[in-house]
Amino acid sequence: MEQSTKNVYLEQLPGYVFQGSEHQVYKLKKALYGLKQAPRAWYIKLESHLAANEFMKYPHEHTLFMKTKEKGEILIVCVYVDDLIYNGNDMPMFQEFKTMMMKEFAMTDLRKMRYFLGIEVLQGCNGIFVGKKKYIKNMLNKFDMSNCNPVKSLIVPGSMLLKEDKGVKVDTTLFKQLVGGLMYLTATRPDIAYSVSLISRFMEEPKKSHFLAAKRILRYLQGTQNLGIFYKVGGNEELIAYTDSDYAGDLDDRKSTSGYAFLLGGGVISWVSKKQPVVSLSTTKEEFIAVALCACQCVWLRRILKHLSHCQEGATVVKPSFAWKK
């Protein structure tokens, strides 16, 4: 499909109106940073430039581009808005790519990745560790929890959170800021995914009990700031999937919650905790819905790995939660 962008017009700014042409507007020749059309215009420009230099876009993930050569050299580029990560197995291709990009765009080479979008990356001879220790410290300071006592559990056993809680209302803006910060943290902390998903259901009218549940997650993070994900060199290259769900766990609408986790190379590469869109009438049905969600993600991951020359041999086994606990 041919990609195109609509023309964008800008009214004349106060104090810069041409006399006799007050009714005219400016037609933008290029996208301005901050406009809603800017990300799409930038992506089309970047995509056309990479395509002109023999890069192939992944059909199942449009932010991934790859370039290969006859002797097996490969260069993989990942795009996140105006930030790019590149990897491969040939140093001359790295230098060629950097020269090509700097010639066309005003870019800076930050060398070996150590920090990206709030994620701390530690690379060593044994593997790669990703975490957000600095981000956690900033969150604790922002919400005056830097000196709080740590806890070992994310949720108080037996506690129940309801939308129709008769407790005291709390500041909605503050609660949304806290939940939003925790949601961004789940990018490297799958252990808090369920708890964050749970408290995010009460952002419309949060009560004191909801806020205390969110603060308990901060107390848990206080004692686990150094945790993250470690991808071991020479780890298991087989894609492994685990899935689980509860039955009617949401006490307001009686919907169940699904969750899955995919492991590759000894570390988790994809995970989610999400409330199911329908009400399950049996434990069998809610388990099937959870497995179906996991299977959809599995198909997508296998297609991505195939394009990365890491094709999975045989079927991917989806294991239940009790196998994960063992």
Side-chain angles (χ1 to χ4, degrees), residues 31-293:
L32 293 179
Y33 189 85
L35 297 180
K36 65 179 181 180
Q37 299 92 344
R40 178 172 174 80
W42 157 248
Y43 176 80
I44 292 175
K45 174 68 175 178
L46 178 63
E47 179 191 13
S48 60
H49 180 65
L50 293 175
N53 287 272
E54 302 178 348
F55 277 85
M56 181 189 69
K57 182 175 68 174
Y58 284 76
H60 307 294
E61 177 52 65
H62 292 173
T63 61
L64 285 178
F65 296 84
M66 182 178 66
K67 183 178 182 180
T68 57
K69 291 187 177 181
E70 297 179 353
K71 296 183 179 180
E73 300 94 333
I74 183 173
L75 176 64
I76 302 172
V77 179
C78 178
V79 180
Y80 185 86
V81 191
D82 57 351
D83 294 316
L84 280 73
I85 300 176
Y86 59 93
N87 196 2
N89 58 4
D90 187 61
M91 291 300 297
M93 291 185 70
F94 291 168
Q95 188 60 43
E96 179 184 350
F97 173 72
K98 290 188 291 185
T99 304
M100 174 195 75
M101 296 300 294
M102 292 181 179
K103 185 177 180 181
E104 182 70 16
F105 307 102
M107 288 193 167
T108 304
D109 181 18
L110 300 178
R111 305 292 178 179
K112 193 174 182 179
M113 186 170 66
R114 293 185 176 86
Y115 197 79
F116 183 75
L117 300 176
I119 301 176
E120 302 170 23
V121 182
L122 301 177
Q123 304 185 44
C125 57
N126 296 325
I128 300 176
F129 177 84
V130 294
K132 285 188 175 183
K133 183 178 180 179
K134 182 179 178 182
Y135 181 84
I136 294 175
K137 287 185 176 180
N138 293 337
M139 277 203 65
L140 293 173
N141 292 329
K142 180 179 179 179
F143 295 99
D144 297 327
M145 298 285 288
S146 57
N147 296 321
C148 67
N149 295 323
V151 295
K152 296 184 179 181
S153 61
L154 285 160
I155 302 176
V156 178
S159 63
M160 296 183 295
L161 299 178
L162 298 170
K163 287 185 179 180
E164 300 298 330
D165 194 317
K166 297 182 180 179
V168 180
K169 292 184 178 180
V170 298
D171 187 350
T172 303
T173 301
L174 181 63
F175 184 77
K176 288 182 178 180
Q177 290 177 348
L178 175 53
V179 175
L182 291 173
M183 290 176 68
Y184 190 70
L185 182 59
T186 57
T188 59
R189 294 294 297 268
D191 54 331
I192 68 172
Y194 173 76
S195 301
V196 175
S197 173
L198 180 62
I199 62 173
S200 65
R201 304 170 187 176
F202 309 102
M203 289 196 290
E204 185 176 354
E205 293 184 0
K207 302 300 191 320
K208 185 177 180 180
S209 60
H210 307 146
F211 190 67
L212 290 177
K215 290 179 67 175
R216 186 176 179 86
I217 299 178
L218 291 178
R219 295 175 61 191
Y220 171 80
L221 294 173
Q222 171 76 310
T224 59
Q225 298 183 34
N226 296 324
L227 294 185
I229 306 174
F230 181 68
Y231 301 100
K232 185 179 180 181
V233 173
N236 187 6
E237 298 183 355
E238 179 185 0
L239 184 65
I240 303 175
Y242 295 90
T243 184
D244 193 14
S245 62
D246 63 2
Y247 178 60
D250 193 306
L251 301 179
D252 292 302
D253 54 19
R254 309 309 297 178
K255 292 182 179 179
S256 306
T257 301
S258 302
Y260 63 69
F262 288 87
L263 277 70
L264 186 68
V268 187
I269 62 170
S270 179
W271 58 90
V272 80
S273 178
K274 182 179 180 181
K275 188 165 70 169
Q276 295 180 359
V278 297
V279 178
S280 301
L281 301 180
S282 66
T283 56
T284 302
K285 183 178 179 180
E286 54 93 4
E287 290 288 354
F288 271 117
I289 294 175
V291 172
L293 177 66

